[in-house]
Amino acid sequence: MTRAMIEGVDQAALTAWMDRQGLGSGAIEDATPLAGGTQNILLRFIRSGRSYVLRRPPPHLRANSNETMRREARVLAALAGSDVPHPGLIAACPEEDVIGASFYLMEPVDGFAAPNGLPPLHLTASVQHRMGLSMVEAIAALGAVDYLAVGLDGFGKTENYLGRQVARWQAQLASYAEMPGWTGPDEIPGVARVADWLSANVPSDFRPGIIHGDFHLGNVMFRHDSGDLAAVVDWELCTIGDPRLDLGWMLATWPEGDTPHPTDVAVTPWVGFPTASELVAHYAARTDRDLSSIGWFVVLACYKLGIILEGTHARACAGKAPRATGDKLHAHTVALFERALRRIG
């Protein structure tokens, strides 16, 4: 195996740490990097006949990279035994001095990521319909978990959670002005109008729960033998918030018609997936939360995700990210704000 294939993972140090944890013996075998939805490193390997997947931050750490790993591990530990399909946590190393960053080990997921291609079974309308419904069931189950009972007290700031969202993301957007060459907020349609609408229509019935924070078709894995979920993955934005935002996020990235838009998170062919109204009805049947304001959560998801994606465009304008990537994500931002404007009328 080449050094590049195991970048960021010192196998000798990992082996010694696993020895101390009582996790097998002998050499690490068949170490294989896995593609992930982020720049985080995923390494699958075998030790003593057991398969593991290691997850750690990218080689060039950001300020919050290690804390993000610690939070992910904490969430996966909290979800053990729940109805939420998730990768099983095996062990976590919050310390940064073992392999140079905090990391954790999890069970491999026997499933596939739909945006990477669909197997023949999942090309059928009935199975695709089930895929969409199973996604809703996962976030309904997540929102039903008692976060205090599973040890996630203090995992997120719940005070005025909904009321402070707009200001939080306005500040994020304003910070991009520090990037020289950024085209600015005027290139985002309706950015001020959407913010004003959100501020004027904040729901008053907030009840905190666990949210994934980036729930869409690209952050789940499906079983090979059915349309059911194998696991929800990429938990780095998980926090305590309003679980309805996960449904709003799913709808904000879901095709609005029978033909996906290039900026939707979708698959080809799109032949049987539920409509947005079917997704909301399926969620409503599995929660006691009021969904009369779900449109507000869809608009908030468009607003928040659009601003997050615009950050890469701003960095690209400043020469700190590939320009093609920045332009592509700016198009996503524009599409999200156009969707928000259609929602608010």
Side-chain angles (χ1 to χ4, degrees):
M1 171 166 293
T2 66
R3 183 174 180 179
M5 291 180 69
I6 55 171
E7 182 182 9
V9 181
D10 182 330
Q11 291 196 56
L14 175 60
T15 299
W17 180 83
M18 292 182 71
D19 286 343
R20 296 193 293 273
Q21 308 304 312
L23 296 173
S25 61
I28 288 174
E29 301 174 331
D30 298 331
T32 306
L34 301 177
T38 68
Q39 296 180 5
N40 293 312
I41 292 172
L42 291 169
L43 184 73
R44 182 168 182 163
F45 63 89
I46 297 173
R47 192 180 197 216
S48 295
R50 183 180 185 182
S51 295
Y52 299 84
V53 172
L54 178 147
R55 182 170 166 93
R56 62 143 290 167
H60 302 292
L61 299 174
R62 294 184 179 182
N64 64 340
S65 290
N66 287 302
E67 180 58 21
T68 295
M69 284 297 114
R70 290 188 279 265
R71 286 174 61 85
E72 285 187 26
R74 184 179 172 188
V75 168
L76 294 181
L79 292 178
S82 73
D83 292 332
V84 182
H86 64 281
L89 179 72
I90 298 173
C93 180
E95 294 81 20
E96 302 166 23
D97 57 355
V98 174
I99 63 169
S102 179
F103 68 93
Y104 61 88
L105 301 178
M106 57 184 167
E107 303 281 0
V109 175
D110 184 11
F112 70 94
N116 294 339
L118 298 175
L121 175 66
H122 296 76
L123 298 175
T124 61
S126 60
V127 174
Q128 290 195 358
H129 195 262
R130 177 66 199 142
M131 290 168 73
L133 297 183
S134 67
M135 288 179 64
V136 167
E137 290 163 14
I139 49 174
L142 180 63
V145 173
D146 184 337
Y147 74 95
L148 296 175
V150 298
L152 292 181
D153 186 22
F155 194 70
K157 299 177 181 178
T158 60
E159 184 178 358
N160 193 32
Y161 174 80
L162 297 180
R164 56 186 168 83
Q165 290 299 303
V166 171
R168 159 72 179 87
W169 294 102
Q170 279 179 324
Q172 180 74 20
L173 183 63
S175 72
Y176 300 157
E178 300 173 2
M179 297 292 176
W182 178 46
T183 52
D186 290 344
E187 296 298 315
I188 302 174
V191 63
R193 183 182 170 199
V194 171
D196 290 344
W197 184 89
L198 286 168
S199 297
N201 292 279
V202 179
S204 59
D205 58 340
F206 170 70
R207 177 155 48 101
I210 307 171
I211 65 171
H212 178 270
D214 191 18
F215 191 78
H216 55 69
L217 193 62
N219 278 342
V220 297
M221 296 181 71
F222 292 94
R223 292 171 55 101
H224 294 285
D225 60 356
S226 73
D228 292 334
L229 283 195
V232 181
V233 297
D234 285 350
W235 291 86
E236 57 194 272
L237 295 182
C238 183
T239 189
I240 305 303
D242 193 314
R244 293 174 293 184
L245 183 54
D246 274 342
L247 179 59
W249 204 276
M250 182 179 175
L251 297 174
T253 58
W254 200 257
E256 292 179 295
D258 294 333
T259 303
H261 186 275
T263 58
D264 295 331
V265 183
V267 297
T268 302
W270 188 267
V271 295
F273 284 94
T275 63
S277 59
E278 288 177 305
L279 297 176
V280 173
H282 201 62
Y283 190 99
R286 286 156 178 78
T287 185
D288 60 355
R289 297 178 187 273
D290 182 5
L291 296 185
S292 62
S293 59
I294 191 59
W296 188 89
F297 290 94
V298 176
V299 174
L300 175 61
C302 291
Y303 185 77
K304 179 177 175 178
L305 179 55
I307 289 174
I308 290 173
L309 297 180
E310 185 65 12
T312 300
H313 177 236
R315 288 191 291 274
C317 290
K320 298 182 178 182
R323 189 57 191 250
T325 301
D327 289 346
K328 179 180 178 179
L329 294 184
H330 176 68
H332 281 252
T333 295
V334 170
L336 284 163
F337 273 85
E338 288 174 344
R339 179 175 295 206
L341 290 170
R342 288 194 294 272
R343 279 273 179 172
I344 67 180

